[in-house]
Amino acid sequence: MATRWCGRKGSALTLMFFLCTGVCTSPAESGAGDVGESRVLGMRLQSSDKPATTAEDGVIQVTEESSVSLRFYGLHLSNDTRAQIRFVDLGGDAGGGGGGGGGGGGGGEEKLNGTCADFTKDIFVRGSMNVSKQGTSAVLRLKVKLLRKGETHRDYGVCARNERDGKWYLLGEQDGMLRVVEEKKSLLPLWLQVILICGLLVLSGMFSGLNLGLMALDPMELRIVQSCGTDKEKKYARKIEPIRREGNYLLCSLLLGNVLVNTTLTILLDDLIGSGVGAVVASTIGIVIFGEIVPQALCSRHGLAVGANTILLTKFFMLLTFPLSYPVSKLLDCVLGQEMGTVYNREKLVEMLKVTEPYNDLVKEELNMIQGALELRTKTVEDVMTPLNNCFMIHSDAVLDFNTMSEIMESGYTRIPVFEDERTNIVDILFVKDLAFVDPDDCTTLKTITKFYNHPVHFVFHDTKLDSMLEEFKKGKSHLAIVQKVNNEGEGDPFYEVLGLVTLEDVIEEIIKSEILDESDLYTDNRNRKKVAPNKNKRDFSAFKHESESKVKISPQLLLAAHRFLATEVNLFCQSQISEKILLRILKHPDVIQEIKFNENDKRSPQHYVYQRGKAVDYFVLILQGRVEVEAGNENMKFETGPFSYYGVMALSAPTLEFRSPSHLSGLNRSASLNYTDRTESQSISGSNTQLNSAPSPQYIPDFNVRALTDLQIVKITRSQYQNGLMASRLDSSPQSPDSGHTHVDQNTPVENNAPLVPQSLSENTLTLPLTDTPPDEHTSLLNEQNCLPARQAGHSIHSDSSI
């Protein structure tokens, strides 16, 4: 399409034409005065089939190999004026000189003739001249040839021939200059440029998206996805992982490709638009929208799928850019080192789990376990231990009787520390399974068990990490450890201070971040001492308690000492009267061993008196532990006695209603007491069985007081218990045949199972002793409490003395 030009230059030339008509005439015209002579005064651009323009300095600029229409202004113009116009070559940079040479308009004749001497053939006139009716303007069509090779522009001047003298004159300054410039040709056809621009935008977006998507895929993450992802994710990860290992090479290839595409896009847009500013604006908008925002938003969420589906194209560009990108990548590897991938430390991994909790499929318990396992190395045993004040412990001097073992079982612990003197001095560990072969009736001491098993005591320092503690527990040496620290505060030498206990359960609870409760736990947490639900069943071991078990517990050694003392020092209990086996059964009776608690606030309390003057009693007392005050005689003489002093011997066999002499008390007159005892025992033994059971025995009324001064442990044997022991010893020692082994009784008295009858007392504390040999286990409870028979059976007598 031709470019047409009409500007202010044309108006200015028209005005100059009229001025020159009356004023600006050459000397030749003024002298001749020829009004019909044609004269060319100026020109302007009319049209062009190629880009053409008029510069600001008035120079007409046209494109090479174009058809140009110029409008000439002058006087008396006609078709013949066409022959008076020629063009002269001013050179590539001769425009200024040419213009300067013609600056005088009609200046020196020699100079003008010299300039217009050689006419150029690069511009020639085509067709006739189209003259206006007034003859002041005419349009002339020109054909401009190609510039010479290597030239970007060339200036030409317009020469007009003077009809009067026949000479050629160059039009002055820029009004008569024509500049021919090189034609700007498009690199590619328009349709191809559009296709390339669209393709480059796609490639720019791909490189930008892959740069974000692939480089954001950590090599470690790709390995994880290959192991635990879905089938599709595993497939994608296997495709991407080989090229992702070459991180710097992939990065250089993508960046180089992206820069190359964006640069080419800008060049094509500049060629297409024809304006540098427009090309920059268009390329910026296109690259930002289609090459950055859209692909990066897509690849940031679906980078794995996009990277896997474009893997072939990525490899192609990596191969294409290999000569430049590979050396650069190796240089980066040397300078920056090999890419290690993202590695999370313990704190970052825990925080990542917390932050991603709303989006992952982990339940809270699983997160707690993971967090607990990761934090195990940061915590110490002091953080999870049970303080010493809250620990269940046993003194090393404890006796393993029923009450102690019940307390151990009710505690619910399987490992129990054993201490000496004070709780901080832990010397041994008792396992509950160690008590499997221990009989509570044996009253075995705890030291006996602990010395036999000799479990090692494991001590750890308070700053020991829980992971180290877990490793120690895993070795199987112990699942309980004593926590201690070095106390160097204050004056004196440093010493080890026991702080508490830590168990394997404490470490496991810290790992799972939850409390482990079983049926024996009393607290949900040993640190805050929160108790379990109140409706939880509590074990009651009283069902296993033997009926004949003594209410007051004494050591086996003390029981043996009491047995030997009675059998050797008190004639009523010597072996000729009561067998040692029967005596031992009497001592193991539940009501025989008793205890009196001394009240410091009420020293004269009636509960403190073992015997009171003038108050009938029917029992014998042996002091095992503690001290008593004895007040006897008319003078109320007082003295104190201690363990293994005994009183009330005559209460077991008193023939009269009252005894006045206090000389029968042990410690007052031992010989008198023993002599009288011999007589009473002799009478008791020689008497018939009918005499023992036909009527109630007379009561013993002491004339002295025995009062406790401290806590007491005593042996208290009643008359009925003693008499039953006598009968049991006689029956146990008398020979019996299978045919005559039963007792002949009154016919009105029913006899079941042919068992011999035992005399019964009206006392509530009647002692029942079997009359036959018992199994050899002397440590089982063989003394049972039973109710007395009705009073009507008290008068039944045994007719044959030989049966007793």
Side-chain angles (χ1 to χ4, degrees):
M1 177 182 294
T3 302
R4 301 186 178 273
W5 173 258
C6 295
R8 287 178 291 179
K9 285 289 184 179
S11 301
L13 292 175
T14 305
L15 181 59
M16 291 173 60
F17 168 74
F18 290 106
L19 292 175
C20 292
T21 305
V23 178
C24 300
T25 57
S26 63
E29 293 176 344
S30 301
D34 188 1
V35 180
E37 180 182 357
S38 63
R39 177 81 178 273
V40 178
L41 300 177
M43 65 178 180
R44 68 176 179 86
L45 179 63
Q46 181 72 22
S47 63
S48 175
D49 59 352
K50 291 184 178 182
T53 183
T54 301
E56 294 181 357
D57 56 358
V59 176
I60 298 174
Q61 182 174 304
V62 298
T63 306
E64 61 178 348
E65 202 176 10
S66 61
S67 298
V68 182
S69 296
L70 298 178
R71 180 174 291 276
F72 289 89
Y73 297 94
L75 300 175
H76 306 290
L77 299 180
S78 63
N79 290 331
D80 296 335
T81 309
R82 171 181 175 274
Q84 298 178 8
I85 297 175
R86 295 287 187 273
F87 291 89
V88 65
D89 189 357
L90 300 180
D93 53 356
E109 183 177 343
E110 293 80 13
K111 183 178 180 181
L112 293 178
N113 286 334
T115 303
C116 295
D118 298 324
F119 300 111
T120 182
K121 296 180 179 179
D122 295 335
I123 301 175
F124 57 92
V125 179
R126 298 179 59 183
S128 60
M129 197 171 189
N130 188 8
V131 183
S132 64
K133 294 181 180 180
Q134 291 81 7
T136 56
S137 67
V139 177
L140 183 63
R141 297 183 62 191
L142 304 176
K143 179 64 177 177
V144 181
K145 294 183 178 181
L146 289 173
L147 293 175
R148 294 169 180 81
K149 188 176 181 179
E151 290 182 341
T152 58
H153 71 279
R154 198 166 189 84
D155 295 336
Y156 298 90
V158 179
C159 292
R161 185 171 60 85
N162 192 334
E163 292 182 353
R164 184 174 55 82
D165 55 6
K167 294 181 179 181
W168 294 87
Y169 296 94
L170 186 65
L171 292 180
E173 298 184 0
Q174 284 81 6
D175 293 338
M177 183 179 292
L178 182 65
R179 179 174 295 165
V180 179
V181 297
E182 183 181 10
E183 182 181 8
K184 184 179 181 182
K185 296 181 179 180
S186 179
L187 298 176
L188 296 172
L190 179 62
W191 61 272
L192 186 56
Q193 284 187 344
V194 174
I195 293 175
L196 287 177
I197 289 173
C198 294
L200 291 175
L201 284 175
V202 173
L203 289 177
S204 177
M206 186 195 73
F207 284 128
S208 178
L210 291 178
N211 185 29
L212 176 64
L214 292 181
M215 299 309 296
L217 294 175
D218 190 81
M220 295 293 181
E221 183 180 356
L222 289 175
R223 296 180 187 175
I224 295 172
V225 172
Q226 290 184 60
S227 301
C228 59
T230 62
D231 294 338
K232 186 176 291 186
E233 290 176 344
K234 291 179 181 178
K235 179 182 177 182
Y236 291 159
R238 281 193 293 269
K239 288 183 178 181
I240 296 174
E241 201 266 338
I243 66 170
R244 185 58 186 86
R245 284 200 301 262
E246 304 292 335
N248 289 328
Y249 180 28
L250 176 62
L251 177 64
C252 293
S253 299
L254 293 177
L255 292 179
L256 184 60
N258 193 22
V259 172
L260 181 63
V261 166
N262 291 340
T263 305
T264 306
L265 178 63
T266 305
I267 295 173
L268 289 179
L269 286 175
D270 179 65
D271 182 69
L272 180 63
I273 297 175
S275 173
V277 177
V280 171
V281 173
S283 62
T284 301
I285 295 175
I287 291 173
V288 168
I289 296 177
F290 302 104
E292 298 292 340
I293 296 177
V294 174
Q296 290 194 17
L298 178 65
C299 291
S300 63
R301 293 168 175 82
H302 308 285
L304 193 65
V306 174
N309 292 324
T310 58
I311 192 68
L312 294 178
L313 194 59
T314 304
K315 291 182 178 179
F316 171 75
F317 278 100
M318 290 178 67
L319 182 61
L320 188 65
T321 60
F322 178 83
L324 182 59
S325 59
Y326 186 77
V328 176
S329 66
K330 289 303 177 182
L331 180 62
L332 291 176
D333 290 340
C334 295
V335 175
L336 302 179
Q338 192 69 24
E339 184 180 8
M340 297 298 297
T342 303
V343 178
Y344 293 99
N345 57 18
R346 187 174 291 101
E347 291 76 12
K348 290 182 180 179
L349 190 56
V350 171
E351 192 62 28
M352 185 188 69
L353 291 174
K354 291 180 181 179
V355 173
T356 58
E357 180 179 0
Y359 312 103
N360 54 41
D361 57 350
L362 296 176
V363 297
K364 185 177 181 180
E365 288 75 14
E366 293 173 333
L367 288 174
N368 289 339
M369 291 182 187
I370 297 173
Q371 182 179 353
L374 293 175
E375 294 178 350
L376 196 65
R377 198 173 182 179
T378 63
K379 294 186 177 181
T380 61
V381 294
E382 190 175 9
D383 300 328
V384 300
M385 71 175 186
T386 301
L388 190 64
N389 295 334
N390 299 331
C391 296
F392 178 78
M393 306 172 69
I394 301 180
H395 198 280
S396 60
D397 294 334
V399 177
L400 296 176
D401 53 18
F402 182 82
N403 292 333
T404 303
M405 295 181 69
S406 298
E407 185 180 2
I408 293 174
M409 297 300 295
E410 289 174 359
S411 69
Y413 300 108
T414 58
R415 294 170 177 83
I416 302 171
V418 179
F419 67 93
E420 281 186 358
D421 299 335
E422 55 184 12
R423 290 173 62 89
T424 57
N425 185 23
I426 299 176
V427 296
D428 222 319
I429 299 293
L430 173 68
F431 288 9
V432 172
K433 65 181 181 181
D434 299 341
L435 306 178
F437 298 106
V438 176
D439 189 351
D441 295 333
D442 295 342
C443 296
T444 308
T445 59
L446 181 60
K447 285 184 178 179
T448 304
I449 302 300
T450 55
K451 288 182 179 179
F452 177 79
Y453 289 99
N454 194 23
H455 296 298
V457 183
H458 189 197
F459 289 90
V460 296
F461 288 103
H462 66 102
D463 56 352
T464 303
K465 300 297 182 182
L466 289 186
D467 59 336
S468 302
M469 193 73 257
L470 181 60
E471 291 298 323
E472 289 295 325
F473 285 150
K474 286 165 58 179
K475 294 178 180 178
K477 296 180 180 179
S478 175
H479 288 177
L480 182 145
I482 314 300
V483 182
Q484 64 181 5
K485 73 173 183 178
V486 177
N487 190 338
N488 52 9
E489 298 178 358
E491 299 180 356
D493 296 333
F495 61 94
Y496 291 113
E497 179 184 1
V498 176
L499 302 179
L501 305 179
V502 62
T503 63
L504 178 61
E505 182 178 339
D506 295 331
V507 180
I508 296 176
E509 287 176 348
E510 196 63 27
I511 294 176
I512 66 176
K513 291 289 184 179
S514 179
E515 294 296 324
I516 301 176
L517 298 179
D518 56 31
E519 61 278 2
S520 61
D521 280 345
L522 300 178
Y523 300 95
T524 59
D525 189 356
N526 290 331
R527 282 171 286 178
N528 55 31
R529 307 295 290 175
K530 182 180 179 181
K531 292 188 176 182
V532 297
N535 59 351
K536 192 171 183 180
N537 294 329
K538 183 179 180 180
R539 284 189 173 90
D540 185 9
F541 298 97
S542 61
F544 299 98
K545 189 174 183 179
H546 203 280
E547 295 180 357
S548 63
E549 186 174 355
S550 178
K551 298 178 181 178
V552 180
K553 297 299 178 181
I554 62 173
S555 65
Q557 294 84 354
L558 184 59
L559 180 63
L560 179 61
H563 178 270
R564 299 309 303 162
F565 180 83
L566 291 175
T568 57
E569 298 294 333
V570 183
N571 289 339
L572 287 177
F573 299 99
C574 64
Q575 190 171 1
S576 62
Q577 305 295 328
I578 296 180
S579 66
E580 293 185 357
K581 180 174 65 176
I582 299 301
L583 179 59
L584 181 62
R585 296 175 188 173
I586 293 175
L587 293 177
K588 289 187 176 181
H589 191 269
D591 295 326
V592 170
I593 307 297
Q594 297 185 9
E595 190 174 40
I596 298 177
K597 294 294 184 180
F598 183 76
N599 186 2
E600 292 286 348
N601 298 327
D602 188 6
K603 297 182 178 181
R604 295 286 178 176
S605 173
Q607 286 76 16
H608 293 171
Y609 284 90
V610 181
Y611 290 96
Q612 287 185 347
R613 180 180 297 172
K615 186 175 181 180
V617 295
D618 63 344
Y619 54 83
F620 165 84
V621 171
L622 171 65
I623 306 298
L624 294 179
Q625 290 186 4
R627 299 191 62 79
V628 296
E629 180 187 71
V630 180
E631 182 180 353
N634 295 329
E635 297 83 3
N636 292 329
M637 182 177 59
K638 297 180 181 180
F639 56 90
E640 294 182 6
T641 60
F644 292 95
S645 61
Y646 58 93
Y647 311 92
V649 174
M650 291 179 290
L652 300 182
S653 58
T656 60
L657 295 178
E658 183 176 1
F659 296 91
R660 294 295 182 182
S661 174
S663 62
H664 305 296
L665 301 177
S666 173
L668 297 178
N669 192 334
R670 175 59 60 86
S671 61
S673 177
L674 293 178
N675 293 334
Y676 187 83
T677 301
D678 293 339
R679 294 195 301 269
T680 57
E681 289 175 358
S682 193
Q683 294 174 1
S684 176
I685 295 172
S686 63
S688 66
N689 186 62
T690 305
Q691 181 182 1
L692 290 173
N693 296 279
S694 60
S697 301
Q699 292 181 336
Y700 170 61
I701 302 176
D703 60 348
F704 56 90
N705 295 326
V706 178
R707 182 174 62 88
L709 297 178
T710 60
D711 292 343
L712 296 181
Q713 282 187 350
I714 62 175
V715 175
K716 184 177 181 181
I717 302 176
T718 63
R719 182 182 302 145
S720 61
Q721 292 171 345
Y722 176 73
Q723 290 178 354
N724 288 334
L726 285 176
M727 296 295 294
S729 297
R730 292 174 187 175
L731 293 175
D732 195 25
S733 61
S734 62
Q736 298 182 10
S737 63
D739 296 334
S740 61
H742 64 279
T743 304
H744 183 186
V745 295
D746 190 272
Q747 294 180 356
N748 295 330
T749 304
V751 179
E752 298 180 1
N753 299 330
N754 294 328
L757 292 179
V758 179
Q760 303 293 328
S761 173
L762 295 179
S763 173
E764 293 181 357
N765 297 328
T766 302
L767 178 66
T768 302
L769 300 174
L771 303 182
T772 58
D773 290 336
T774 58
D777 185 6
E778 295 297 335
H779 297 289
T780 58
S781 177
L782 299 176
L783 301 177
N784 297 314
E785 181 180 356
Q786 65 179 10
N787 295 326
C788 64
L789 295 176
R792 64 176 180 272
Q793 297 180 358
H796 290 181
S797 61
I798 301 175
H799 298 284
S800 175
D801 292 340
S802 62
S803 64
I804 299 177

